[in-house]
Amino acid sequence: MTIWDRFYRDSVIGILTPGAYVIDVGGSLRATPGRGNRYDPQNAYLTPYVEKAQYKILDPVPDFSPDIVGDIHNLSLSDNSVDAFLCIAVLEHIEDPRRAMREMLRVIRPGGKVFLYVPFLFYYHAEMGYYKDFWRYTKDSLPLLAEGYADAKWQSVRGATETWLHLSPLGRIPGIPTIARLIDRLSGKVNSNQVSGYFGLLTK
């Protein structure tokens, strides 16, 4: 398991505690069949945690039957009313990410968490009629996203070589990502600024 996969697993499991009120913006966890717009069997290990938490999906449109239809820029939720947000691969698709971060900060309880994924070197991936693709995030942008939060932990995803291959057809060949990861480790490129993106765990 990679260091970024471990960060993802530990952060999400740490958020999905029994009874915790957790809102998944866009349904990107994809851990429960029939919820959100897609299910990923690789995330099935999270399903028992989802089922024990008060897990809700928020989406700006009703098309995929979310629990809450709402705009992340202007949440119709009370101050200090939610334990955590999952906001995975969402902030590149909205017009004002910093406003969205302030809204989630307003809504989570003291000590509450926001778990993020934001892309840096990644291809254009709008879905016409549903969402656009506005932003990419370097490491210098991360403190701006975390403004107002008491603590922020960040984990880069992929090193430079693996990121480059991930963007190419070669990255789909079995075994190639593992070789690229080894090259990154041996060359020190695993700590490069040229990464696929960043996971973040922010605390109010």
Side-chain angles (χ1 to χ4, degrees), residues 60 136 202:
R136 294 296 179 271
L202 283 60

Side-chain angles (χ1 to χ4, degrees), residues 5-172:
D5 286 332
R6 187 175 297 110
F7 186 91
Y8 172 90
R9 181 201 64 187
D10 292 348
S11 297
V12 172
I13 289 175
I15 282 171
L16 291 170
T17 57
Y21 183 20
V22 179
I23 294 180
D24 183 356
V25 182
S28 297
L29 196 61
R30 297 171 178 163
T32 351
R35 300 198 63 181
N37 65 345
R38 198 176 307 165
Y39 168 64
D40 185 348
Q42 292 185 45
N43 289 341
Y45 73 96
L46 292 171
T47 304
Y49 299 96
V50 169
E51 290 173 345
K52 290 177 183 176
Q54 296 181 62
Y55 171 81
K56 306 292 182 185
I57 293 175
L58 179 142
D59 214 32
V61 295
D63 303 41
F64 303 106
S65 302
D67 301 289
I68 305 167
V69 176
D71 180 0
I72 193 175
H73 296 101
N74 187 24
L75 294 165
S76 57
L77 297 163
S78 302
D79 296 359
N80 307 312
S81 62
V82 171
D83 292 304
F85 280 93
L86 302 171
C87 190
I88 303 166
V90 170
L91 294 184
E92 69 267 33
H93 298 298
I94 63 172
E95 293 182 11
D96 192 343
R98 294 176 75 186
R99 181 178 172 187
M101 292 301 298
R102 290 193 298 271
E103 268 294 87
M104 290 188 287
L105 178 64
R106 176 184 67 80
V107 170
I108 57 174
R109 298 184 177 110
K113 309 284 186 183
V114 173
F115 179 74
L116 301 172
Y117 176 76
V118 292
F120 175 32
L121 296 175
F122 199 65
Y123 55 83
Y124 179 82
H125 58 292
E127 189 165 323
M128 295 306 146
Y130 186 27
Y131 50 74
K132 297 180 182 179
D133 189 3
F134 295 104
W135 311 109
R136 294 296 179 271
Y137 299 86
T138 70
K139 71 169 188 177
D140 296 332
S141 67
L142 304 181
L144 299 178
L145 293 178
E147 282 182 349
Y149 289 80
D151 184 60
K153 295 180 174 63
W154 299 99
Q155 173 60 57
S156 59
V157 176
R158 302 186 186 91
T161 309
E162 190 177 358
T163 291
W164 172 67
L165 284 167
H166 185 70
L167 287 167
S168 78
L170 293 173
R172 298 183 183 89

